[in-house]
């Protein structure tokens, strides 16, 4: 295990509504100390896909520059999340012989070495993928040595055969090259891509939750990322191609108001559960274009919100049901992403999933805790934690150096700030 103290790591959460950048230093406990963070309204990105290169580049630049300013340092590279309906996932398995006679798998059993584990993981990837797809993650569920299953780490065990059950996530290379292009245009290199839900799980889930069985939902603006854990392994990942922005659009349409105003009303007065609202609680809506002030009840507002949230969460439930373990084996649902902040969402989730739900706040970091202990920062914090875990166990993953004015973007920023 590598000691990473003082190493700088950076994360970029590319979202449909917000770009979020974080810069952190690794402490002696291998946890990130946040040195700077930046949020910028997202433009040119929808549901994990780039729809306008220039706008997306600018939004990335804005978020990263804000984080750099706060951290008083520049970064050259970052870990980036992936999401959207270009992502596919499946459960599969691989098998290798460990016995001395590796052709037949017979003969004397021997100790399983790191190389055997790598070999069996390689075997799980031997799938007929189309040319435009690449593997993002191979997430081990369990190993089976001879006929003994449920093994998390087979290193050092004695056996003849090693089998691995894994969850494989793949992405569409064209979709991701467009995103890479925007990141590179913003003068950043990519240290690695991580599935949004995998990152969020790093930030919000306790080990015991992963072991006992938990569904994590990252309710974003354009998508909901779903991940199902059981017995400390990932059993399903999926993406629902609709998010909390649909609720805002409904409010804007019903009240005939601009999206920005609808967004404010949703945050201030919105409830995902009609039964939690009071019929007598009214709020005022200033008339537009000469219309008089209107009074709207929270109850009526919830009557529009609940069906849409229910539809989105039903889809998330169906996605989770694709898992190879029955959902009755999961003990809770954890919610993150900005959409989790809509009041009453936990209660609605509980009724749909028939399981207790809680809001997932990112933990296991220090620095700017009061600003970042927020479900909207789950993916960004999780990216940092994933980065640290990856570097700890795999020395091949070392981050490109960061420093003052070590890249073109930093130089540009320097010029803009000092000359203009
Ligand atoms: N306090 C709040 N109450 C209700 N909704 C909120 C609140 N704060 C944020 N949201 C909603 O959360 C959504 C944005 O969430 P988030 O920032 O996680 O999305 P994103 O990561 O940009 O999008 P995606 O992950 O879908 O690409 C918006 O629809 C916004 O209205
Ligand atoms: Mg998001």
């Amino acid at each position: 295990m590598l000691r990473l103290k003082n190493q700088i790591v950076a994360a970029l959460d590319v979202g449909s509504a917000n770009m979020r950048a974080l810069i952190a230093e690794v402490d002696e406990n291998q946890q990130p100390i946040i040195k700077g963070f930046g949020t910028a309204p997202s433009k040119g990105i929808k549901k994990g896909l780039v729809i306008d290169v220039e706008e997306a580049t600018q939004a990335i630049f804005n978020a990263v520059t804000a984080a750099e300013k706060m951290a008083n340092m520049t970064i050259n590279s970052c870990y980036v999340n992936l999401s959207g309906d270009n992502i596919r996932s499946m459960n599969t398995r691989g098998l290798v012989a460990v016995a001395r006679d590796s052709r037949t798998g017979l003969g004397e059993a021997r100790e399983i070495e790191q190389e055997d584990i790598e070999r069996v993981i390689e075997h799980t990837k031997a799938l007929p993928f189309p040319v435009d797809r690449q593997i993002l993650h191979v997430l081990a569920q369990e190993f089976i040595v001879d006929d003994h299953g449920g093994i998390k780490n087979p290193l050092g065990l004695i056996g003849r055969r090693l089998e691995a059950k894994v969850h494989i996530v793949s992405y569409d290379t064209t979709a991701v090259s467009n995103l890479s292009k925007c990141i590179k245009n913003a003068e950043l290199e990519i240290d690695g891509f991580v599935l949004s839900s995998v990152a969020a799980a790093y930030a919000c889930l306790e080990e015991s939750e992963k072991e006992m069985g938990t569904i994590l939902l990252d309710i974003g603006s354009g998508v909901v990322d779903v991940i199902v854990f059981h017995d400390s392994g990932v059993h399903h990942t999926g993406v629902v191609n609709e998010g909390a922005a649909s609720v805002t659009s409904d409010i804007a349409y019903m009240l005939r108001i601009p999206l920005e105003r609808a967004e404010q009303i949703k945050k201030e007065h919105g409830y995902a559960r009609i039964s939690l609202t009071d019929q007598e609680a009214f709020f005022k809506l200033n008339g537009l274009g000469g219309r008089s002030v209107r009074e709207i009840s929270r109850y009526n507002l919830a009557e529009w919100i609940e069906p849409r949230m229910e539809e989105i969460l039903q889809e998330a439930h169906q996605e989770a049901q694709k898992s190879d373990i029955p959902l009755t084996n999961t003990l809770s649902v954890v919610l993150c992403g900005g959409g989790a902040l809509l009041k009453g969402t936990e209660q609605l989730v509980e009724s749909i999933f028939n399981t207790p739900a809680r809001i997932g706040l990112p933990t296991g970091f220090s620095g700017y805790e009061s600003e970042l202990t927020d479900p909207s920062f789950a993916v960004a914090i999780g990216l940092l934690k994933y980065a640290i875990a990856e570097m700890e166990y795999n020395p091949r993953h070392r981050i490109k150096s960061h420093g003052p004015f070590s890249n073109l973007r930093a130089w540009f920023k320097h010029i803009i700030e000092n000359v203009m």
Side-chain angles (χ1 to χ4, degrees):
M1 200 164 93
L2 281 168
R3 307 286 346 150
L4 300 165
K5 190 165 180 286
N6 302 123
Q7 169 94 42
I8 299 294
V9 281
L12 174 69
D13 171 6
V14 175
S16 310
N18 299 291
M19 294 285 182
R20 294 188 172 88
L22 292 180
I23 301 174
E25 190 181 321
V26 183
D27 73 9
E28 62 278 7
N29 300 316
Q30 313 284 69
Q31 290 206 336
I33 313 169
I34 312 296
K35 295 291 176 187
F37 66 94
T39 306
S42 204
K43 292 224 169 81
I45 297 270
K46 260 216 166 85
K47 302 176 190 286
L49 283 181
V50 176
I51 51 166
D52 185 315
V53 171
E54 232 166 84
E55 283 189 339
T57 303
Q58 189 61 49
I60 292 168
F61 182 94
N62 293 346
V64 172
T65 306
E68 286 179 327
K69 226 174 188 172
M70 190 185 263
N72 204 19
M73 69 173 87
T74 63
I75 53 161
N76 289 329
S77 60
C78 55
Y79 275 78
V80 182
N81 64 314
L82 287 186
S83 182
D85 72 351
N86 78 88
I87 305 285
R88 300 274 178 278
S89 72
M90 66 188 296
N91 292 327
T92 181
R93 46 175 80 200
L95 172 73
V96 292
V98 180
R100 298 225 185 267
D101 185 347
S102 62
R103 272 177 306 111
T104 60
L106 298 170
E108 212 181 316
R110 66 161 170 84
E111 253 186 42
I112 292 166
E113 294 164 7
Q114 188 59 36
E115 191 206 309
D116 300 312
I117 300 174
E118 285 174 19
R119 217 156 40 91
V120 75
I121 294 291
E122 269 314 303
H123 264 240
T124 64
K125 296 196 227 170
L127 297 164
F129 272 111
V131 282
D132 57 351
R133 295 206 76 77
Q134 277 215 331
I135 291 179
L136 176 61
H137 297 295
V138 179
L139 305 163
Q141 292 169 342
E142 64 164 323
F143 291 94
I144 302 158
V145 176
D146 296 347
D147 288 323
H148 309 291
I151 296 165
K152 291 293 158 197
N153 183 6
L155 189 69
L157 292 176
I158 293 168
R160 289 190 170 83
R161 275 183 304 129
L162 176 64
E163 197 174 347
K165 286 170 90 175
V166 297
H167 180 74
I168 291 193
V169 182
S170 69
Y171 61 86
D172 178 309
T173 46
T174 321
V176 174
S177 7
N178 282 322
L179 178 59
S180 303
K181 185 170 159 183
C182 298
I183 296 166
K184 285 183 181 142
N185 285 354
E187 289 299 324
L188 282 168
E189 285 182 55
I190 297 155
D191 290 316
F193 283 116
V194 185
L195 185 68
S196 293
S197 57
V198 168
Y202 265 79
C204 299
L205 294 188
E206 315 244 338
E207 287 312 315
S208 62
E209 287 175 319
K210 294 184 200 166
E211 197 182 334
M212 303 296 285
T214 290
I215 303 161
L216 175 76
L217 306 181
D218 174 358
I219 310 172
S221 158
V223 294
V224 178
D225 286 278
V226 181
I227 188 164
V228 181
F229 280 89
H230 183 67
D231 203 9
S232 303
V234 174
H235 284 259
H236 185 66
T237 55
V239 183
V240 171
N241 219 24
E242 192 180 4
S246 300
V247 174
T248 311
S249 312
D250 289 348
I251 298 173
Y253 178 79
M254 299 303 282
L255 294 174
R256 308 279 190 275
I257 51 173
L259 283 173
E260 299 73 47
R261 184 75 184 105
E263 180 75 11
Q264 277 176 346
I265 289 175
K266 180 176 84 170
K267 289 181 180 169
E268 222 172 300
H269 305 287
Y271 279 82
R273 207 76 174 113
I274 302 166
S275 57
L276 295 175
T277 60
D278 177 356
Q279 296 233 30
E280 302 308 314
F282 288 90
F283 62 94
K284 284 193 167 64
L285 188 64
N286 287 330
L288 281 174
R291 276 188 282 165
S292 53
V293 174
R294 284 181 283 168
E295 284 212 327
I296 317 280
S297 80
R298 284 190 170 180
Y299 183 88
N300 286 140
L301 185 65
E303 279 185 322
W304 302 326
I305 298 175
E306 185 177 303
R308 178 65 73 176
M309 280 301 282
E310 193 173 347
E311 176 193 298
I312 297 168
L313 294 167
Q314 286 286 8
E315 272 193 62
H317 187 233
Q318 279 165 18
E319 193 55 53
Q321 279 174 323
K322 293 179 189 163
S323 163
D324 61 358
I325 50 133
L327 293 192
T328 41
N329 286 355
T330 52
L331 293 186
S332 66
V333 183
V334 176
L335 310 171
C336 66
L341 291 168
L342 176 68
K343 292 181 272 295
T345 303
E346 281 158 275
Q347 288 85 347
L348 184 60
V349 167
E350 285 181 351
S351 77
I352 293 171
F353 285 72
N354 205 15
T355 310
R358 71 166 179 94
I359 302 287
L361 298 171
T363 58
F365 71 97
S366 59
Y368 300 104
E369 287 101 325
S370 58
E371 291 93 334
L372 303 178
T373 306
D374 178 312
S376 329
F377 272 96
V379 168
I381 300 272
L383 283 171
L384 294 177
K385 299 186 82 173
Y386 180 98
I388 294 170
E390 185 163 77
M391 288 187 294
E392 245 182 315
Y393 293 103
N394 190 348
R396 277 171 282 178
H397 282 283
R398 295 315 297 254
I399 284 175
K400 291 97 198 160
S401 69
H402 304 292
F405 312 126
S406 48
N407 63 15
L408 198 65
R409 188 168 40 81
W411 183 76
F412 252 104
K413 198 180 83 170
H414 175 71
I415 301 262
I416 291 167
E417 280 171 7
N418 292 290
V419 181
M420 295 174 86

